[in-house]
Amino acid sequence: MKIFDVSFTGEFIVKASGDQLEKVSSLTLSNLDLLSGRFPVTYFYFYPKQPQLSFESIVKSLKSSLSQTLTYFYPFAGQIVTNETSQEEPMIICNNNGALLVEAQAHIDLKSLDFYNLDVFIQSKLVPVNPDFALQIQVTEFECGGLAITFTFDHALGDASSFGKFLTLWSEISRNQPVSCVPDHQRNLLRARSPPRYDPHLDKTFIKCSEEDIKNIPMSKTLIKRLYHIDASSIAALQALATVNGESRTKIEAFSAYVWKKMVESIESGHKTCKMGWLVDGRGRLETITSSYIGNVLSVAVGEASIENLKQNHVSEIANIVHKSITEVTNDTHFKDLIDWIESHRPGLMLARVVLGQEGPALVLSSGRRFPVAELDFGFGAPFLGTVCSTVEKIGVGYLNQRPSACNDGSWSVSAIVWPELAAALESDSVFQPMSAKHLQLQT
């Protein structure tokens, strides 16, 4: 493992320029925002050297375009504080406190980085941690002239769809392109019905909790953070394996079935069942919001199967369980019920029980197939890698996040927060390949 040093050369507070598009002094979090867990989310993007541009000019350009972007995304320049009327819930003060942008120099070449070990990225300070800012960016220059840009968001600001729209708009402004999406910050669109009503089954999936509960999730195993490359041919093979009698399964369903089956190899004896979860976006399912809504609109679909069945069943049979589990939550009724369930348990934060580590061995998969990767050009070229991870140290569940590779050849990059035995099981055949400079075509 190659640990590298980073020198911090500048720190800037970037505020929104011009008038805010909507004069809102604060935002009360929606019910679905209360389900986010407040976990920090960090997106990592790596860029090759651009001989015609200096590092100083790139940082100056990013600060200018970020300032313009924050005018559209003004809550991201705000602060997240405790709601005075409900001490158990946070709120966003839209005071143009600003975003933090850190400038750094890494004393290593990009091709010498251990891209497989995401723990090293976080420990070696590619990710700033400052609780005074809801949005933090670090721009790091490597000895070869290449760059890493990390974007860290407080989950109260939104979900992956929200952050993807923010990054896309920022890149458009950076390249003087027309803005493709005007963000909708009306969090009151996700109101509960009166009186609230919900399927009692939700009591088995979600639980009320406090920030202290989330910070002190019991950990039965140390989790490690890794990055994998999945070939397009492996994805196609898994999809073919999961398709029986002409009933096709999506790539994510097939991949999930394969992973769930592999997961069994890492579970200690004594457990009779294990669970898998999938993050599901309510945009396009909830009738009350559009795709431009900024905030959290996520639920978790959870499937459970016996260890014995997962061992014995064919991937196609497991894919059927995956499909059924996801289908149960991909509808307007589920999301309305979930909003009402949260309303009935307020004030406070809520979380899926699996994430709190209360459900035995479990793994959650998030698909970022629509998240911008190759598209994230800030005026100095496309990235050769875009992925996601979190600085969170305690989480009660394994976590995989899939997204397309930057080379657009149908392959995926998958970031993982998993226990060591699961990493070993996933790496035991050729599907999960530890990410390397060779995969990223950095070898000279």
Side-chain angles (χ1 to χ4, degrees):
M1 182 191 302
K2 192 160 185 177
I3 302 293
F4 58 97
D5 293 322
V6 173
S7 301
F8 297 95
T9 54
E11 198 170 279
F12 311 94
I13 296 171
V14 180
K15 297 178 183 283
S17 61
D19 293 331
Q20 292 177 357
L21 297 182
E22 302 163 57
K23 301 288 186 184
V24 178
S25 59
S26 65
L27 282 176
T28 301
L29 297 190
S30 77
N31 284 8
L32 293 180
D33 289 323
L34 299 176
L35 193 62
S36 71
R38 296 291 305 278
F39 295 116
V41 184
T42 299
Y43 298 94
F44 295 81
Y45 282 76
F46 292 86
Y47 295 82
K49 176 182 173 63
Q50 295 297 327
Q52 71 276 23
L53 295 171
S54 69
F55 182 59
E56 292 72 23
S57 68
I58 286 172
V59 172
K60 183 179 178 182
S61 169
L62 285 170
K63 286 191 289 184
S64 172
S65 53
L66 172 60
S67 178
Q68 295 173 63
T69 305
L70 289 172
T71 304
Y72 290 90
F73 280 83
Y74 61 88
F76 288 30
Q79 288 179 290
I80 298 167
V81 300
T82 302
N83 191 328
E84 291 177 6
T85 57
S86 169
Q87 294 297 311
E88 297 177 64
E89 297 177 1
M91 66 184 294
I92 303 172
I93 302 294
C94 303
N95 59 357
N96 204 12
N97 181 62
L100 181 67
L101 190 146
V102 176
E103 180 187 283
Q105 297 282 333
H107 307 297
I108 192 173
D109 277 351
L110 278 170
K111 66 181 179 183
S112 302
L113 274 186
D114 182 0
F115 287 97
Y116 164 60
N117 189 343
L118 290 177
D119 280 314
V120 175
F121 287 172
I122 292 167
Q123 292 162 1
S124 299
K125 300 176 182 169
L126 284 187
V127 183
V129 180
N130 185 323
D132 293 335
F133 298 92
L135 168 60
Q136 300 166 62
I137 300 105
Q138 183 167 320
V139 189
T140 307
E141 183 180 36
F142 289 79
E143 288 182 345
C144 58
L147 299 178
I149 310 181
T150 57
F151 313 88
T152 302
F153 301 87
D154 187 304
H155 226 318
L157 291 177
D159 53 17
S161 177
S162 305
F163 303 148
K165 287 179 174 60
F166 171 83
L167 294 173
T168 297
L169 190 140
W170 185 1
S171 73
E172 289 167 348
I173 287 174
S174 297
R175 291 178 285 115
N176 296 312
Q177 298 291 310
V179 169
S180 60
C181 168
V182 176
D184 181 353
H185 299 293
Q186 299 177 82
R187 301 214 179 189
N188 58 0
L189 293 174
L190 295 179
R191 285 197 194 99
R193 293 168 292 197
S194 182
R197 56 192 186 274
Y198 59 87
D199 185 330
H201 182 74
L202 291 177
D203 289 319
K204 296 179 182 177
T205 308
F206 300 96
I207 189 170
K208 179 177 175 172
C209 58
S210 66
E211 267 194 62
E212 282 305 304
D213 293 331
I214 294 170
K215 287 175 183 171
N216 296 298
I217 290 174
M219 300 284 291
S220 58
K221 290 181 180 292
T222 302
L223 295 176
I224 58 177
K225 297 169 184 177
R226 298 292 183 258
L227 184 61
Y228 296 100
H229 172 87
I230 316 282
D231 280 334
S233 58
S234 296
I235 300 160
L238 290 176
Q239 193 172 19
L241 205 59
T243 300
V244 175
N245 300 328
E247 195 167 11
S248 64
R249 292 289 169 239
T250 66
K251 291 182 174 71
I252 285 295
E253 288 169 344
F255 180 70
S256 298
Y258 165 79
V259 167
W260 205 355
K261 196 170 177 67
K262 296 295 287 182
M263 179 182 165
V264 172
E265 299 172 20
S266 72
I267 295 173
E268 296 163 348
S269 59
H271 293 288
K272 295 281 187 274
T273 66
C274 70
K275 294 189 174 183
M276 194 158 179
W278 299 268
L279 295 184
V280 176
D281 190 343
R283 293 172 187 80
R285 284 141 186 159
L286 262 170
E287 296 165 2
T288 50
I289 59 166
T290 67
S291 62
S292 59
Y293 176 87
I294 303 302
N296 288 280
V297 199
L298 294 179
S299 183
V300 183
V302 179
E304 184 172 20
S306 74
I307 303 284
E308 198 57 40
N309 283 348
L310 289 169
K311 279 182 180 176
Q312 293 180 357
N313 285 1
H314 188 265
V315 166
S316 62
E317 295 171 286
I318 301 170
N320 290 340
I321 303 171
V322 174
H323 177 77
K324 181 175 182 293
S325 302
I326 295 173
T327 302
E328 285 174 0
V329 308
T330 52
N331 57 78
D332 182 68
T333 300
H334 167 80
F335 278 92
K336 283 179 177 170
D337 279 10
L338 180 56
I339 291 167
D340 286 7
W341 182 91
I342 294 168
E343 186 71 18
S344 302
H345 292 78
R346 289 181 68 182
L349 300 178
M350 322 289 159
L351 214 55
R353 289 176 182 269
V354 288
V355 179
L356 266 185
Q358 298 189 352
E359 301 282 283
L363 182 66
V364 172
L365 174 67
S366 174
S367 168
R369 64 192 175 90
R370 294 193 188 93
F371 202 89
V373 180
E375 302 89 341
L376 220 61
D377 176 356
F378 291 95
F380 44 85
F384 63 80
L385 173 65
T387 189
V388 64
C389 199
S390 176
T391 54
V392 69
E393 292 180 6
K394 291 190 172 183
I395 189 167
V397 66
Y399 189 80
L400 297 180
N401 191 298
Q402 165 274 340
R403 60 202 47 229
S405 296
C407 57
N408 278 331
D409 64 352
S411 62
W412 291 349
S413 61
V414 174
S415 65
I417 304 176
V418 290
W419 52 97
E421 295 85 353
L422 178 53
L426 294 175
E427 293 168 26
S428 64
D429 61 27
S430 61
V431 175
F432 277 75
Q433 301 172 29
M435 186 66 79
S436 68
K438 185 178 179 183
H439 290 119
L440 301 168
Q441 300 174 357
L442 291 177
Q443 300 289 68
T444 52

